[in-house]
Amino acid sequence: MEEFHKVRRLPPYVFEQVNRLKASARAAGADIVDLGMGNPDLPTPQSVVDKLCEAVQDPRTHRYSSSKGIPGLRRAQAAYYERRFGVKLNPDTQIVATLGSKEGFANMAQAITAPGDVVLCPDPTYPIHAFGFIMSGGVIRSIPAMPDDHFIPALERGIRHSIPKPLALILNYPSNPTAHVASLDFYKDVVAFARKNEIIILSDLAYSEIYFDDAPPPSVLQIPGAIDVAVEFTSMSKTFSMPGWRMGFAVGNERLISALTRVKSYLDYGAFTPIQVAAAAALNGDGSDIAEVRAIYKHRRDVLVESFGRAGWPIPAPAATMFAWAPIPEKFRSLGSLEFSKLLIEHADVAVAPGIGFGEHGDDYIRIALVENEHRIRQAARNLKRFLSTADEKLHNVIPLNARR
Ligand SMILES: Cc1ncc(COP(=O)(O)O)c(C=O)c1O
């Protein structure tokens, strides 16, 4: 029987292949250091867990909640934007809580896309950026992921060569998977471009708080006039180590927020109220929980760069996110990222995410997630050193020539 139209447009998750191999290696007794999925291993701060437990004792919280988010939560998000970015938002019209930022992004795509609408999407990027629109009947035109001098010319070509004119443009800085960070000057140029050409900006700022340089990543909404064209998505998942709680936000342009709020009002009743109460408490905190999480990722990043470098694999130090975007060692590059990732599981007991899973321009890279502790990262480096020292043998004996790109 023919596959459903929508399902046909969703290729099997590339990461699934690596996950299967990882599971079978583990079943055979291998001790795999798992730096694959971006699934934070740190516990949610105790004060946030306590708040949830307290709220759940009140039976009134057991009823359906509010799809757009309880007022206290939206107010807490407005206070966060004002404190962190100096951006004033109206909690009633410019903020909606989402069931994680992924849900918010996907339903925004659903809310605004007509069949055949063109969307400018970075490649490589986090998969929902493209597939949220593909599932909604949109068409993707790839743009570079790097926020450099080539970016605006690529947008101009995107406009010139797309029929119909692109509906929206996706930004994601700090980027998953490349870890690139954008400057305010970059956002200024992009906002000017979007306003001139009447294109919507969807900015994914999931890593707003996971940064290691002195300059925190800016919000696109800091640019005057951005609110006329832009919405931004943030997430509690990484900032407060709350990935399983499913809590995020969309904020910005009223018309876009209202479209998403309308769609969501048909789909959900909001997160469980105690989760929303606890999330508001987290956002209203003094920032010490965030600083602690940031320091842990920074230390892991330093250990990764130092130990992998010594093992013979130099990794550029990411300035933000919980990921390193590592060029595949020259010798192995022609294998492509999926084959190389499989090799790492089978011969180095290390799992990573193949760059191809983020788009065709990611295939010379793998993504390493900082989701195991220092000790385990050093273990991975030791395994890799052993693996790299027998690279020639691996290349010639393990992978048949016809498996190479
Ligand atoms: C760039 C980016 N956006 C969104 C998400 C999804 O986050 P959430 O847990 O808020 O849905 C992730 C998660 O890894 C991400 O890396």
Side-chain angles (χ1 to χ4, degrees):
M1 209 186 300
E2 208 185 346
E3 196 47 278
F4 296 114
H5 169 75
K6 213 157 251 192
V7 176
R8 260 191 288 136
R9 306 189 80 198
L10 298 175
Y13 228 35
V14 176
F15 306 119
E16 214 24 68
Q17 296 190 45
V18 177
N19 287 344
R20 263 201 308 273
L21 205 59
K22 186 173 70 190
S24 55
R26 277 186 170 152
D31 175 21
I32 304 285
V33 183
D34 191 355
L35 308 175
M37 196 179 166
N39 192 353
D41 60 313
L42 305 172
T44 302
Q46 190 57 44
S47 60
V48 181
V49 174
D50 290 345
K51 195 75 194 173
L52 172 96
C53 294
E54 181 193 316
V56 81
Q57 297 301 333
D58 180 350
R60 284 173 305 176
T61 66
H62 303 170
R63 309 186 66 184
Y64 288 126
S65 194
S66 155
S67 170
K68 68 189 287 203
I70 57 175
L73 177 61
R74 283 180 282 114
R75 278 198 302 273
Q77 175 71 348
Y80 167 72
Y81 256 77
E82 178 145 26
R83 213 166 50 234
R84 169 71 167 78
F85 302 112
V87 171
K88 272 194 197 305
L89 295 165
N90 180 338
D92 291 328
T93 56
Q94 295 177 323
I95 297 181
V96 59
T98 61
L99 307 174
S101 62
K102 193 179 188 184
E103 178 272 329
F105 191 93
N107 277 324
M108 179 64 86
Q110 197 193 153
I112 66 176
T113 310
D117 273 348
V118 177
V119 173
L120 303 175
C121 180
D123 182 345
T125 199
Y126 183 60
I128 197 67
H129 296 155
F131 288 104
F133 282 95
I134 289 171
M135 279 191 276
S136 306
V139 176
I140 295 301
R141 182 183 163 103
S142 295
I143 52 170
M146 281 252 260
D148 61 14
D149 293 348
H150 302 291
F151 196 84
I152 296 284
L155 295 187
E156 275 160 0
R157 286 195 301 279
I159 295 262
R160 213 175 316 127
H161 299 295
S162 303
I163 306 280
K165 188 192 81 179
L167 166 77
L169 152 69
I170 297 160
L171 301 177
N172 170 216
Y173 303 108
S175 158
N176 175 11
T178 69
H180 289 309
V181 180
S183 66
L184 268 182
D185 280 345
F186 171 82
Y187 282 145
K188 200 165 140 201
D189 292 346
V190 177
V191 167
F193 176 89
R195 284 171 61 93
K196 180 170 145 222
N197 294 287
E198 296 183 341
I199 291 181
I200 294 164
I201 293 176
L202 303 177
S203 165
D204 181 346
L205 189 54
Y207 297 96
S208 56
E209 300 302 334
I210 313 297
Y211 58 87
F212 315 124
D213 287 347
D214 293 339
S219 155
V220 71
L221 294 172
Q222 287 174 248
I223 305 298
I227 197 89
D228 296 338
V229 289
V231 283
E232 194 156 71
F233 299 85
T234 57
S235 170
M236 307 287 291
S237 298
K238 315 295 156 78
T239 306
F240 296 97
S241 305
M242 295 170 68
W245 296 55
R246 311 310 302 129
M247 182 51 63
F249 298 91
V251 309
N253 178 268
E254 275 186 39
R255 178 165 168 256
L256 290 165
I257 293 298
S258 147
L260 174 59
T261 306
R262 175 84 66 92
V263 165
K264 281 177 64 59
S265 74
Y266 279 81
L267 293 177
D268 68 63
Y269 289 109
F272 186 39
T273 299
I275 289 180
Q276 298 194 46
V277 170
L283 283 167
N284 289 330
D286 62 5
S288 55
D289 291 331
I290 303 179
E292 220 170 282
V293 167
R294 187 183 296 134
I296 291 171
Y297 285 126
K298 182 169 197 246
H299 181 63
R300 288 178 179 182
R301 176 202 67 163
D302 293 343
V303 169
L304 176 86
V305 170
E306 181 264 325
S307 64
F308 276 44
R310 264 194 302 122
W313 188 358
I315 308 249
T321 77
M322 54 193 290
F323 305 112
W325 185 236
I328 298 174
E330 187 75 44
K331 264 189 185 162
F332 294 93
R333 209 164 287 166
S334 64
L335 295 176
S337 58
L338 181 56
E339 287 307 318
F340 180 65
S341 302
K342 289 180 180 171
L343 214 55
L344 290 187
I345 292 178
E346 287 172 338
H347 299 284
D349 290 346
V350 174
V352 298
I356 188 73
F358 303 94
E360 65 172 290
H361 295 291
D363 206 17
D364 286 344
Y365 295 79
I366 53 102
R367 191 197 69 180
I368 302 169
L370 301 169
V371 291
E372 294 239 34
N373 65 31
E374 168 182 352
H375 168 73
R376 298 284 288 166
I377 293 170
R378 290 194 193 282
Q379 175 70 47
R382 281 193 296 277
N383 295 356
L384 280 163
K385 187 168 183 185
R386 222 178 323 110
F387 168 78
L388 292 171
S389 68
T390 57
D392 290 330
E393 182 195 328
K394 295 284 174 329
L395 270 170
H396 293 296
N397 298 340
V398 181
I399 298 285
L401 277 174
N402 62 8
R404 301 181 192 188
R405 275 189 302 179

